[in-house]
């Protein structure tokens, strides 16, 4: 008699690491994919899931989100730049512990319903509160503190020493599915002393670092004016890229910076909906150099966290800007997009083997209901996922080998109670919903 697995997906259709269709049984144990077996293998399991019309795939990974901006939905569209300075930061200054907890609960629910099993958060005032909520949610995540010494007082990290201490404490308090990153909000939003101190401390601790990079052309120009070189050139020249570095946005990169990113194995995260109003990254060049690229939503304030939407939008933007001039209709193929939304995000999380359905990989999977008029019949299921699927088509979610959502019902959080709390909070603090 063989081992009893925790979960068995019986006679499942699924995507391989190369984003090809396969079928068989998927056995999970101890939070990992234990084996890929022939269909109807008959192996024992504590829980068996079946279901025709489902396509199992790796969970999506949101490589850059803002939990603190969950209640800012609808406020940013059509705003003039630079949004984060004029709108986002003042809004986040008004959040207290209660509203931050609610933000995290709503963000977790939205990610679960959208097929996102893992995320990297950009930080907030109450990272410890976020951690409590995300631990309960069952999601896999990476958390950091809002680290900035030029922000308004409610968000300012205090002295450089205090900012570094908070990052160390958060990282030391997390383990397993939730881990801590070091961060600075942005190089131009912090003093040189702060960002250098954070990066040096991260290198000493072997801690990953996440910093918004090259998001606005004006920020790149401002950095050059201050420091005499482009951002990535400065960081390399000063030995500040010696620890795992996650770089959201990366819209405005020079060829030399792309080479630095390749050489230093920087993980890039694009946020298509948020970014397309600022510029279009040269992602084909990054990918051709072997750079790891993932997707981020940039938080719900930028239209929600559905990464299926981000893939589809990115395909259209890249075709229009990069493909038309060269008559290249495959400038951003469907399989590449799916790998970016899964494997690219997992690489940014430093999750070994993540974003794949393969033996030994983390058991983070979602099931898409393909038996629907807008998805079936199809001559190519992979193409149809990118062209037509959305987060609403995800019916099951497994994270770390545990069922988090089944038949669209979230199993780890009380959705009705959270929505009721949200209504009550916004009745008491209407400025959070109607901030201007």
């Amino acid at each position: 008699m063989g081992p009893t697995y925790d979960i068995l997906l019986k006679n499942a259709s699924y995507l391989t690491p190369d984003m090809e269709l396969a079928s068989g049984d998927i056995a999970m144990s101890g939070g990992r994919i234990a084996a890929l077996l022939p269909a109807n293998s008959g192996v024992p399991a504590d829980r068996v899931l079946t279901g025709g019309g489902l396509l199992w795939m790796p969970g999506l990974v949101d490589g850059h989100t803002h939990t603190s901006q969950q209640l800012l939905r609808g406020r940013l569209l059509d705003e003039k730049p630079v949004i984060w300075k004029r709108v986002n930061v003042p809004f986040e200054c008004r959040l207290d512990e209660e509203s931050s907890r609610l933000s995290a609960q709503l963000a977790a629910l939205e990610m679960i319903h959208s097929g996102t099993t893992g995320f990297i958060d950009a930080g907030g005032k109450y990272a410890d509160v976020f951690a409590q909520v995300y631990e309960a949610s069952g999601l896999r995540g990476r958390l950091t503190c809002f680290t900035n010494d030029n922000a308004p007082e409610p968000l300012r990290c205090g002295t450089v020493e205090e900012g570094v201490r908070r990052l160390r404490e958060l990282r030391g308090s997390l383990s397993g599915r939730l881990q801590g990153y070091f961060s600075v909000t942005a190089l131009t939003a912090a003093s040189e002393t702060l960002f250098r101190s954070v990066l040096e401390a991260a290198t000493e601790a072997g801690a990953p670092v996440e910093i918004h990079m090259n998001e606005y052309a004006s920020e790149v120009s401002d950095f050059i004016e201050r420091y005499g070189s482009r951002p990535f050139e400065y960081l390399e020249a000063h030995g500040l890229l010696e620890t795992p570095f996650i770089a959201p946005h990366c819209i405005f990169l020079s060829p030399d910076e792309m080479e630095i990113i390749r050489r230093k194995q920087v993980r890039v995260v694009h946020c298509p909906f948020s970014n397309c109003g600022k510029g279009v990254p040269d992602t084909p060049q990054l990918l051709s150099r072997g750079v790891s690229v993932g997707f981020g939503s940039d938080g719900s304030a930028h239209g929600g966290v559905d990464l299926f939407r981000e893939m589809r939008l990115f395909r259209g933007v890249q075709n229009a800007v990069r493909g038309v001039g060269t008559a290249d209709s495959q400038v951003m193929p469907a399989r590449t997009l799916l790998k970016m939304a899964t494997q690219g995000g997992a690489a940014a999380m430093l999750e070994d083997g993540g974003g794949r359905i393969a033996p030994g990989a983390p058991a983070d999977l979602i099931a898409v209901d393909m038996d629907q008029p807008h998805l079936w019949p199809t001559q190519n299921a992979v193409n149809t996922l990118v062209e037509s699927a959305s987060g609403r088509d995800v019916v099951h979610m497994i994270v770390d080998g545990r069922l988090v959502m089944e038949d669209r019902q979230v199993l780890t959080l009380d959705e009705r109670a959270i929505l009721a709390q949200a209504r009550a909070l916004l009745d008491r603090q209407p400025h959070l919903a109607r901030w201007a």
Side-chain angles (χ1 to χ4, degrees):
M1 188 74 173
T4 298
Y5 296 103
D6 297 333
I7 297 178
L8 181 71
L9 306 182
K10 183 179 178 182
N11 196 18
S13 296
Y14 63 90
L15 294 181
T16 70
D18 290 328
M19 298 301 160
E20 301 283 351
L21 286 175
S23 62
D25 291 356
I26 304 173
M28 286 164 266
S29 185
R32 295 270 162 177
I33 296 174
L36 300 179
L37 305 166
N40 302 309
S41 60
V43 298
D46 294 334
R47 182 68 193 274
V48 177
L49 292 178
T50 59
L54 300 183
L55 176 60
W56 288 89
M57 60 179 286
L60 306 178
V61 179
D62 191 333
H64 183 66
T65 190
H66 286 266
T67 299
S68 289
Q69 296 170 20
Q70 186 71 23
L71 301 177
L72 198 54
R73 190 191 308 273
R75 179 64 177 83
L76 303 185
L77 196 66
D78 298 334
E79 283 287 343
K80 298 177 182 178
V82 172
I83 292 171
W84 71 267
K85 291 181 181 179
R86 294 189 305 100
V87 181
N88 298 9
V89 168
F91 175 83
E92 291 187 51
C93 285
R94 302 180 124 182
L95 297 177
D96 57 16
E97 186 170 335
E98 180 186 15
S99 54
S100 293
R101 184 180 303 279
L102 181 62
S103 291
Q105 290 172 327
L106 292 169
L109 286 172
E110 187 176 358
M111 284 191 279
I112 292 169
H113 277 304
S114 299
T116 295
T117 57
F119 65 91
I120 299 174
D121 184 70
K125 285 194 294 184
Y126 299 98
D128 56 334
V129 172
F130 294 169
Q132 294 167 13
V133 172
Y134 286 129
E135 177 62 34
S137 76
L139 290 171
R140 192 181 301 279
R142 304 293 182 260
L143 299 171
T144 189
C145 304
F146 190 100
T147 311
N148 186 317
D149 56 357
N150 288 331
E153 184 60 36
L155 288 182
R156 197 172 300 167
C157 67
T159 66
V160 170
E161 293 74 17
E162 289 170 339
V164 172
R165 176 181 54 78
R166 288 178 62 213
L167 291 167
R168 285 181 174 141
E169 289 176 351
L170 178 66
R171 185 165 185 260
S173 70
L174 301 176
S175 61
R177 286 185 294 102
L178 299 181
Q179 296 181 22
Y181 277 23
F182 280 34
S183 71
V184 174
T185 306
L187 297 180
T188 54
S191 67
E192 184 178 18
T193 301
L194 177 62
F195 74 69
R196 289 191 63 158
S197 296
V198 168
L199 286 164
E200 288 165 358
T203 300
E204 180 182 351
V209 174
E210 189 255 17
I211 302 178
H212 296 69
M213 295 293 295
N214 297 48
E215 182 177 4
Y216 293 91
S218 60
E219 288 185 338
V220 175
S221 298
D222 183 43
F223 191 90
I224 293 171
E225 184 177 352
R226 290 191 203 180
Y227 301 110
S229 63
R230 297 180 69 90
F232 281 104
E233 293 171 348
Y234 175 98
L235 294 179
E236 185 187 43
H238 290 81
L240 300 175
L241 290 174
E242 303 306 315
T243 196
F245 194 103
I246 294 82
H249 303 301
C250 286
I251 305 171
F252 302 99
L253 297 171
S254 69
D256 287 345
E257 285 185 296
M258 290 188 189
E259 180 57 23
I260 291 168
I261 287 170
R262 181 201 66 78
R263 190 163 58 244
K264 293 299 183 179
Q265 298 182 22
V266 172
R267 282 80 166 175
V268 170
V269 178
H270 294 321
C271 302
F273 188 82
S274 171
N275 290 167
C276 67
K278 306 161 190 171
V280 179
D282 195 347
T283 309
Q285 274 293 321
L286 288 170
L287 294 173
S288 71
R289 294 169 187 257
V291 173
S292 174
V293 183
F295 284 129
S297 66
D298 212 9
S300 284
H302 291 281
V305 300
D306 188 341
L307 294 185
F308 286 101
R309 177 201 65 173
E310 300 289 348
M311 282 189 279
R312 186 156 50 251
L313 174 65
F314 198 68
R315 164 86 184 205
V317 169
Q318 288 290 320
N319 277 356
V321 175
R322 307 291 177 198
V324 170
T326 57
D328 183 2
S329 61
Q330 295 184 340
V331 69
M332 198 56 56
R335 285 179 174 80
T336 298
L337 291 164
L338 286 168
K339 287 182 180 180
M340 290 168 64
T342 53
Q343 296 168 23
M349 294 183 75
L350 305 179
E351 191 62 46
D352 186 32
R356 296 167 173 81
I357 296 179
D364 298 353
L365 299 89
I366 58 176
V368 177
D369 181 5
M370 300 293 290
D371 194 14
Q372 302 183 77
H374 65 288
L375 298 178
W376 187 263
T378 176
Q379 297 188 25
N380 187 311
V382 171
N383 287 355
T384 296
L385 278 176
V386 172
E387 291 174 326
S388 304
S390 74
R392 289 181 297 241
D393 300 317
V394 177
V395 292
H396 304 319
M397 175 182 286
I398 296 169
V399 183
D400 201 33
R402 173 193 180 194
L403 266 169
V404 171
M405 180 173 69
E406 184 175 10
D407 294 324
R408 294 292 294 171
Q409 297 299 307
V410 178
L411 305 179
T412 54
L413 297 171
D414 189 335
E415 185 166 357
R416 286 189 177 182
I418 291 169
L419 293 176
Q421 291 165 16
R423 295 185 188 97
L425 176 68
L426 296 177
D427 284 342
R428 295 196 308 273
Q429 300 187 50
H431 65 274
L432 293 175
R434 296 187 294 274
W435 185 83

